[in-house]
Structure formats: C-alpha cells, structure tokens
Amino acid sequence: MSKRDLIPREFEDLLTPAGRRILGGKADICGALADPRRRFLALDGMVSKAKAETLRRVLEEHLRPLLSPMNDPIPPETIWEMEHDYEEWLPKTVRTQTAYLERKREASSQRAQELGIVDLLKSESLAVFAEQLAGRKLDRKSGQQVLCYGQGDYAGPHNDHHPENKRAAEGYLDLHLSLSSKTVDHQYLVYAKGGHFTEMVPVHGLGFLTVYRLPFWHYTTPLQAKLGRAESARRWVLLATYLYAAEKKSSA
C-alpha cells in the first residue's frame, strides 16, 4: 500500500460512529454554532484514533522536512517606543511551522497533494460535517493549511478578523483536526468570553477536532513536551477555512 493510500480522500472515512452521527445531522451538537453566543466547539471521539495516528505518521515522515517556519516574535518597539504608561500594544505573534497548501508551486503543497491531504481537506464530507455544526450553508471554495507545533511553539492573542475581505468581514468558519504525538504533555486554546480570557480547553489530542466561528479573541499556549521528550513532541493541525455561502436573493 502506498503512502497516498493511507490518507483517505473523504473525511467521512476517518469518522467514528459518533462522528458519522454529526455528519448525518443526527447529533445533539448539530447547529450549535448557529447560536450567536457560542464561538467555539471542542470535540473528541469523532475521529478514529488508529486512523488519526496513521495520518500523523505520514505527515511526520513525508511532510515535515518541507515545512516553512512561521516566526513572528514580539517587536522590541512595543516596549522601547512607548511614550505613556499603560499603553501597551501587541500585534499577533507566533512560532510554528506550516505548509500553505494553496501555494501550489511550493514543494510542501505539491507533496501534500500527492499524499492526499489536499483532497481530504477539500472533501465534500468535511464541508458537510462543518455545515452540520455551523447550522448554515458553507461555500465549497475553502482554504487549506497545515500547521506543526513543536516544543514551545504557540500563537499569541489574535482575533482572525479580516475587515478588508468583504466575504469574510462578517464572519467565517475554521475547522482544525489535531494530531498530537504521545510525547506531547499539553497545549491549550484560551479564548475570550464576555470580554475576558476566561475559557481554556486542551487541544493536544489525537484526532481532536476544534471548530471556530470567527472572529473572536483567542490564543494557543506554548506546546509542552513530556519530560525528556522535547525532540519528538509535535502537534499537527490540518486546517480548513470556510466562508459562508452567499444567500440567494428572492426573485419577488
């Protein structure tokens, strides 16, 4: 069996019976993100652990050498150019590695296409699964990306608001599939509720799904490895971004 055959083209083929209930619109959680008070879902047990581990191993072996660094540290001027007390400002900071799958000329994108990762993230069953949680139709022209967090990697506070993009300005949906190695001790998503960073959930599982109704303020804590295992501790994230489908105008 080739490595290409180890990654299913359809997201449905990764799902457990619980995941298939969501796909079929038969789970209580369906439509949860249609509630304007709810911004985020964390779901475990929807993806087969065995299939998730196979997928993680393929990424480790075949995609990791081709990843590009994302390294945006805190700018020193955020301290030394301040003129008044208590007027701190902080742009988005991040340290991780990535493959931008829409940049088709890059080696990582081409390899992801060969492996079947792109097909998986563009699959109809993934879009339908996301729709069931969103409670509304999604545009099938989605965005795809792969992230890989190692020891100490993180994403600082940000809101993922895109006011310059007319379609995304009023909101959109992200779905993340996390694939962590057993040597990861923890990594958390912290997000705002009622104007404060009060909510925190673990995101370092194997086959763990997180779904975001963006924009809202959140950050990802530095990944921490189990004692003595920093070299092998990694959390992969397969990411699909969906705009909401354009509403049809009535002909009346």
Side-chain angles (χ1 to χ4, degrees):
M1 179 179 289
S2 69
K3 297 298 181 185
R4 174 64 176 82
D5 296 330
L6 294 176
I7 297 179
R9 296 187 182 188
E10 281 293 338
F11 179 68
E12 180 178 8
D13 294 334
L14 292 175
L15 294 177
T16 62
R20 289 177 182 270
R21 283 195 292 274
I22 292 177
L23 185 64
K26 298 177 181 179
D28 291 341
I29 197 71
C30 289
L33 291 178
D35 183 343
R37 298 167 298 179
R38 200 161 190 176
R39 292 284 182 175
F40 177 78
L41 293 173
L43 303 171
D44 198 13
M46 306 299 118
V47 171
S48 160
K49 301 294 185 184
K51 292 179 180 179
E53 175 62 12
T54 297
L55 178 52
R56 187 194 68 81
R57 289 177 179 272
V58 172
L59 294 170
E60 281 282 335
E61 182 178 353
H62 294 274
L63 197 61
R64 191 163 75 91
L66 302 175
L67 297 176
S68 301
M70 290 178 66
N71 190 356
D72 296 316
I74 299 171
E77 58 267 27
T78 59
I79 295 177
W80 302 116
E81 292 185 9
M82 282 178 61
E83 296 181 356
H84 304 283
D85 296 348
Y86 309 115
E87 289 190 349
E88 293 92 343
W89 61 273
L90 182 66
K92 180 179 178 179
T93 60
V94 62
R95 192 184 74 185
T96 186
Q97 292 184 297
T98 190
Y100 294 103
L101 303 186
E102 294 170 80
R103 298 178 182 177
K104 299 183 184 301
R105 293 185 179 182
E106 292 192 3
S108 58
S109 177
Q110 293 175 8
R111 191 69 179 113
Q113 181 69 63
E114 293 169 359
L115 292 169
I117 298 166
V118 174
D119 288 344
L120 174 64
L121 290 174
K122 286 185 174 182
S123 66
E124 176 65 12
S125 54
L126 182 59
V128 171
F129 188 92
E131 277 183 338
Q132 296 289 15
L133 297 171
R136 59 188 296 185
K137 292 293 184 181
L138 302 175
D139 193 325
R140 291 304 190 264
K141 188 178 180 181
S142 61
Q144 305 86 39
Q145 188 177 357
V146 176
L147 298 171
C148 184
Y149 293 89
Q151 169 67 22
D153 288 350
Y154 74 102
H158 60 288
N159 57 36
D160 284 322
H161 184 37
H162 298 290
E164 295 179 318
N165 183 322
K166 185 177 180 181
R167 289 286 308 281
E170 295 184 3
Y172 58 99
L173 197 82
D174 263 14
L175 185 148
H176 297 187
L177 170 59
S178 292
L179 305 161
S180 297
S181 62
K182 292 181 180 180
T183 52
V184 172
D185 187 61
H186 64 79
Q187 189 171 39
Y188 294 91
L189 181 93
V190 181
Y191 64 100
K193 186 176 182 180
H196 294 280
F197 283 117
T198 58
E199 309 303 302
M200 183 170 76
V201 294
V203 292
H204 55 275
L206 179 64
F208 193 77
L209 291 169
T210 48
V211 190
Y212 305 68
R213 185 168 64 84
L214 297 161
F216 65 94
W217 280 99
H218 58 286
Y219 64 89
T220 305
T221 64
L223 183 142
Q224 296 298 303
K226 292 180 179 177
L227 186 63
R229 307 301 299 273
E231 183 63 30
S232 63
R234 276 180 289 278
R235 171 182 165 238
W236 290 86
V237 181
L238 301 186
L239 187 160
T241 298
Y242 297 96
L243 296 172
Y244 298 120
E247 296 182 1
K248 295 181 179 180
K249 296 181 180 180
S250 64
S251 57

